[in-house]
Amino acid sequence: MSSSAVPTPPIADRRPTTAEHHGHARVDDYEWLRDKEAPEVLAYLEAENAYTQERTAHLADLRQSIFEEIKARTLETDLSVPTRNRGFWYYGRSFEGKEYGASCRVPVADPDDWTPPKPAEAARPDEPALPGEQVLLDLDALADGHEFFSLGGSSVSPDGTLLAYSTDVVGDERFTIRVKALDTGELLPDEITGVLGGATWDRAGESFYYTTVDESWRADKIWRHRLGSSQAEDELVHHEQDGRFWVGVGRTRTDRFIVIASGSKSTSEYRYLDADDPDAGWRVFADRREGLEYSIEHAVIGGEDVFLVLHNATGPDFELGTAPIAPTPAEQWRPLIAHDPAVRLEDVDAFAGHLVVHQRSEGLTQLRILELASPGEGGEGVSDDYLVEFDQEIYTVGSASNPGFAQPVVRLGYTSMAVPSSVYDYDVRTRELTLLRRAPVLGGYDPADYEEHRLWATAEDGERVPISIVAKRGSREDVGGGTGPVPVLLYGYGAYETSIDPYFSIARLSLLDRGAAFAIAHVRGGGEMGRRWYDDGKLMRKQNTFSDFVACARHLIDTGWTTPDRLIAEGGSAGGLLMGAVANQAPELFGGVVAQVPFVDALTTMLDASLPLTVPEYDEWGNPEDDPAVYQYMASYAPYDNVAAIDYPPILAETSLNDTRVLYVEPAKWVARLRATAVGRRDFLLRTEMAAGHGGVSGRYKAWHDRAFALAWILDRMGLADRSV
């Protein structure tokens, strides 16, 4: 750290308000910071930003170095692997010096050839990458004049003539849909505002469906827009009245069905519209039943049209069944892949000749192929059932963009902590796996220079918790030829059954090449080890998430991977709640904590049903407003409520003013209370992006600068700020 005098941090006024719940008085000194329109609140956030900049001024050169390293390793002018859909190959382009890039397409030259076209040589930004290139969207042009820009979605009409796309230029995830005529490049007069996500075309391409949110930012309505009409004339197709449920809309790969999903954290209901029989109207496939989760996909098996039903009616890790094209109760679903407690079935994609099942076992992702028999072959219509195999110890594999029902190949993505993102085509006919592209890492990168491992920590209750870790080969060697401790960045999330699977990061190389290691703690609350892993880390068992992360930290220390002063913890959103909790419960284990858009004032949020996302979150955290036991349990771990007069490790909290998911006020209040309460070092920084949303800043160069800021702070805490790569 700098030897100059430490600047004085901003001190938020204490303006206590008291609320009583279930006989407990709860005093909050900093709730006044919630009014983001108030000049005094904005002034406070700006003062925190100025303080953070001053405290980290000595890292300015390191931040710039990290940014330049990320930039130097990235192929800035690039082309994605084209994806075939109907009569075109679609792909994205990026250009040196530009933030967002462009989406393009070229016509399919040979209908029988599924090999994606490749450019003969690297094309200049002002040249087509492939012969016959058509630029569908120039994202940099759309972003021009806006400090923030995000593309919510883009969808080409089934006949290939129209493009519906949505944009957000504020960061609040409320998008505007426009429609572009692809033959002329002109925009149609249609303009739909206040949309969540993008548009779903009907089969005829004469109208599209979209989703809007209510006052609490819950997706509650599905609308149909007919081209040429005004938004005021749009048809309300479905309104979800239950505050715990979200809605979404999509079209099956076969184009036959429009499907509306209604779902809470624990219950599902699907309705469908058959383009072959539109007069039948919308039909509910299976009425919602508390605790029953399912999804449907149209398939043709043995010559018969069926719905594939992925469901938990027979067990928590899901079964794949079939049902006729008609409303069908769970008792009549026929098993295709029976429930297996060792295998969590997560999704299924249906194609004309095969099914692709996404599953996981022992913490690793898997792709399973079910080849479909021709009519009359028997075997429930399946002729073979097998996994696509890979050799690495830890990896992540998943199906990529596969829009064509008749396609004979499966496009898949593969990565590990050392292997850059890779795109393969798996030809089901020949069972050949072809590497189409591995994301380039410039400067002579070799995955063999890095070692990655799966470790297992033991939690308080005896549960084994997986850890994925990567380090540069040889970084742990000490002068005596043995292995010694290295600085480690330990990442965690642990909520919503979201799995943080092993992944590659160019930015992370700036840590690894300076001698640090990076690890992921696959804690309960996530989905890495199946549904029970999630169930054991939510509601009244949420403490398992925190104790698992602490167990992973202790394991890395006890096994000699690192030492507490050089172990840095990082997490964002619900993972930010994790960071706040472990900072309260085990501050002695960490040399620093990075909390990004952290959900640290969870109890206040869950006590207010008018706030964004609160009611749909009851199935994840509980309802402390109605249930005294939930109130007491959440109060026992909520980071803001448990700030204590202890010596915390240094903390960097990062947030965004326009975040609609985790409001900026949560980390602002948290840092204010930490400053007022903690003893010892009291080293707390709050950094607020004043023009960004939940995902942070927009644009790749801005995002690289943003990540360089955090990485420089992390390296400083690790004692590696002066080490070059």
Side-chain angles (χ1 to χ4, degrees):
M1 300 292 290
S2 172
S3 61
S4 60
V6 176
T8 303
I11 301 298
D13 291 342
R14 302 181 79 155
R15 304 177 189 177
T17 58
T18 302
E20 186 167 310
H21 301 277
H22 311 298
H24 298 274
R26 187 166 177 260
V27 180
D28 192 337
D29 292 329
Y30 304 107
E31 181 62 15
W32 65 271
L33 290 170
R34 188 174 297 276
D35 184 4
K36 79 173 187 177
E37 304 300 329
E40 61 180 346
V41 172
L42 294 174
Y44 175 75
L45 296 176
E46 294 285 12
E48 287 281 9
N49 281 347
Y51 172 70
T52 296
Q53 287 297 330
E54 193 174 0
R55 283 292 314 280
T56 61
H58 64 292
L59 299 175
D61 289 344
L62 178 57
R63 289 197 293 264
Q64 187 60 32
S65 294
I66 294 172
F67 172 81
E68 295 296 342
E69 290 163 16
I70 297 171
K71 189 169 180 286
R73 293 184 178 116
T74 302
L75 183 61
E76 295 179 72
T77 298
D78 203 0
L79 176 80
S80 68
V81 178
T83 296
R84 181 169 162 178
N85 190 13
R86 297 182 173 87
F88 294 90
W89 291 100
Y90 292 85
Y91 55 94
R93 295 187 66 183
S94 59
F95 309 105
E96 183 175 357
K98 293 190 176 183
E99 294 278 10
Y100 301 102
S103 58
C104 310
R105 72 179 182 182
V106 296
V108 171
D110 182 355
D112 296 324
D113 186 0
W114 285 86
T115 305
K118 293 181 180 180
E121 57 185 29
R124 298 200 312 264
D126 59 345
E127 294 179 339
L130 294 168
E133 177 177 276
Q134 179 184 18
V135 177
L136 304 181
L137 286 177
D138 181 342
L139 301 182
D140 288 282
L142 291 174
D144 188 39
H146 301 291
E147 192 170 353
F148 179 92
F149 174 81
S150 175
L151 182 69
S154 63
S155 178
V156 176
S157 60
D159 66 0
T161 63
L162 298 173
L163 173 69
Y165 66 93
S166 61
T167 59
D168 167 20
V169 294
V170 177
D172 61 0
E173 298 184 73
R174 287 167 170 82
F175 293 84
T176 297
I177 296 176
R178 298 302 308 269
V179 180
K180 182 178 182 180
L182 295 178
D183 56 348
T184 66
E186 299 296 321
L187 291 178
L188 274 60
D190 305 72
E191 184 174 18
I192 313 297
T193 62
V195 173
L196 180 68
T200 297
W201 289 98
D202 67 4
R203 185 167 70 178
E206 297 171 350
S207 61
F208 59 76
Y209 298 84
Y210 63 92
T211 306
T212 59
V213 299
D214 62 13
E215 296 77 12
S216 64
W217 204 78
R218 175 181 68 95
D220 70 325
K221 295 184 180 74
I222 303 295
W223 303 81
R224 182 186 184 189
H225 174 77
R226 290 174 173 81
L227 292 180
S229 65
S230 69
Q231 185 171 1
E233 299 174 272
D234 288 353
E235 174 192 357
L236 178 60
V237 175
H238 178 64
H239 182 195
E240 178 53 64
Q241 303 281 358
D242 190 326
R244 298 179 306 133
F245 282 69
W246 291 61
V247 295
V249 61
R251 191 177 73 243
T252 60
R253 187 175 281 103
T254 60
D255 287 338
R256 180 175 165 182
F257 297 95
I258 299 292
V259 177
I260 293 175
S262 297
S264 71
K265 294 289 193 297
S266 61
T267 305
S268 309
E269 183 179 71
Y270 278 68
R271 45 186 33 84
Y272 62 91
L273 180 68
D274 189 347
D276 286 353
D277 186 17
D279 292 339
W282 290 91
R283 309 181 75 184
V284 174
F285 173 69
D287 291 330
R288 67 186 64 178
R289 181 197 306 170
E290 189 64 33
L292 174 62
E293 298 173 65
Y294 73 88
S295 62
I296 59 174
E297 167 82 328
H298 178 216
V300 180
I301 300 179
E304 178 185 359
D305 286 283
V306 298
F307 280 133
L308 297 174
V309 190
L310 191 66
H311 65 88
N312 67 347
T314 55
D317 287 298
F318 286 70
E319 177 172 290
L320 182 63
T322 63
I325 305 297
T328 309
E331 292 75 17
Q332 297 177 23
W333 301 341
R334 298 179 59 189
L336 188 63
I337 299 178
H339 176 265
D340 180 349
V343 179
R344 169 68 163 96
L345 303 183
E346 296 188 322
D347 201 3
V348 60
D349 296 319
F351 301 90
H354 56 278
L355 310 179
V356 179
V357 178
H358 305 246
Q359 62 182 45
R360 62 175 60 244
S361 181
E362 283 297 304
L364 290 179
T365 55
Q366 298 174 335
L367 276 187
R368 182 173 181 173
I369 307 293
L370 275 66
E371 294 187 15
L372 300 180
S374 301
E377 286 187 38
E380 294 294 327
V382 175
S383 62
D384 208 349
D385 180 352
Y386 56 90
L387 296 177
V388 181
E389 301 284 357
F390 295 92
D391 296 331
Q392 304 231 185
E393 180 183 0
I394 55 174
Y395 60 86
T396 301
V397 63
S399 179
S401 180
N402 291 284
F405 181 68
Q407 64 185 63
V409 298
V410 178
R411 177 70 53 83
L412 60 89
Y414 175 91
T415 189
S416 77
M417 300 176 84
V419 177
S421 297
S422 308
V423 178
Y424 288 86
D425 267 355
Y426 179 77
D427 193 319
V428 180
R429 299 165 300 184
T430 63
R431 300 194 180 183
E432 291 180 336
L433 189 64
T434 303
L435 176 63
L436 301 177
R437 186 177 192 270
R438 179 156 290 157
V441 181
L442 305 183
Y445 177 80
D446 185 352
D449 291 340
Y450 301 82
E451 55 179 311
E452 46 188 338
H453 303 285
R454 173 58 56 89
L455 312 176
W456 295 88
T458 302
E460 289 179 351
D461 60 359
E463 186 68 75
R464 297 175 73 235
V465 182
I467 304 169
S468 299
I469 192 166
V470 62
K472 191 158 190 179
R473 203 171 295 280
S475 62
R476 298 181 66 204
E477 294 178 3
D478 59 27
V479 292
T483 57
V486 297
V488 174
L489 176 60
L490 180 62
Y491 185 87
Y493 187 74
Y496 306 114
E497 203 178 2
T498 297
S499 299
I500 308 299
D501 293 310
Y503 65 98
F504 181 81
S505 164
I506 282 181
R508 187 195 302 149
L509 296 177
S510 292
L511 282 180
L512 303 184
D513 288 356
R514 285 176 170 85
F518 173 80
I520 302 170
H522 302 288
V523 297
R524 280 174 282 185
E528 288 90 339
M529 300 293 287
R531 173 51 67 90
R532 73 172 185 88
W533 206 245
Y534 170 49
D535 290 339
D536 278 350
K538 70 172 184 175
L539 296 172
M540 302 297 278
R541 286 176 276 184
K542 189 62 198 172
Q543 177 58 36
N544 286 334
T545 304
F546 316 136
S547 58
D548 281 1
F549 193 87
V550 170
C552 290
R554 292 192 192 282
H555 181 82
L556 292 172
I557 294 166
D558 293 346
T559 56
W561 268 96
T562 192
T563 55
D565 59 313
R566 295 195 290 172
L567 177 59
I568 311 300
E570 183 179 31
S573 195
L577 181 151
L578 170 60
M579 295 300 101
V582 300
N584 287 333
Q585 296 179 19
E588 74 283 356
L589 294 181
F590 305 101
V593 173
V594 179
Q596 298 153 332
V597 291
F599 185 41
V600 283
D601 192 14
L603 187 53
T604 296
T605 296
M606 296 308 298
L607 283 167
D608 188 347
S610 70
L611 289 177
L613 309 185
T614 293
V615 174
E617 297 286 299
Y618 287 158
D619 290 333
E620 184 77 22
W621 312 100
N623 183 351
E625 189 173 14
D626 288 350
D627 191 330
V630 171
Y631 177 91
Q632 291 184 338
Y633 187 70
M634 290 194 70
S636 74
Y637 70 73
Y640 182 64
D641 292 79
N642 289 279
V643 169
I646 58 177
D647 183 16
Y648 285 88
I651 293 174
L652 170 63
E654 299 183 303
T655 187
S656 299
L657 184 64
N658 293 323
D659 193 338
T660 55
R661 304 192 192 194
V662 179
L663 302 184
Y664 75 91
V665 68
E666 299 205 22
K669 289 169 57 176
W670 182 48
V671 168
R673 180 171 278 184
L674 283 166
R675 287 224 186 92
T677 309
V679 299
R681 290 164 287 183
R682 301 174 69 245
D683 184 358
F684 310 118
L685 300 179
L686 174 66
R687 180 170 177 257
T688 304
E689 288 291 346
M690 305 303 282
H694 190 67
V697 296
S698 67
R700 57 175 178 167
Y701 295 104
K702 293 177 185 176
W704 295 348
H705 277 295
D706 206 44
R707 188 55 182 157
F709 186 96
L711 288 175
W713 187 88
I714 290 167
L715 287 166
D716 196 32
R717 301 264 47 92
M718 290 176 166
L720 297 176
D722 296 328
R723 187 175 296 188
S724 59
V725 296

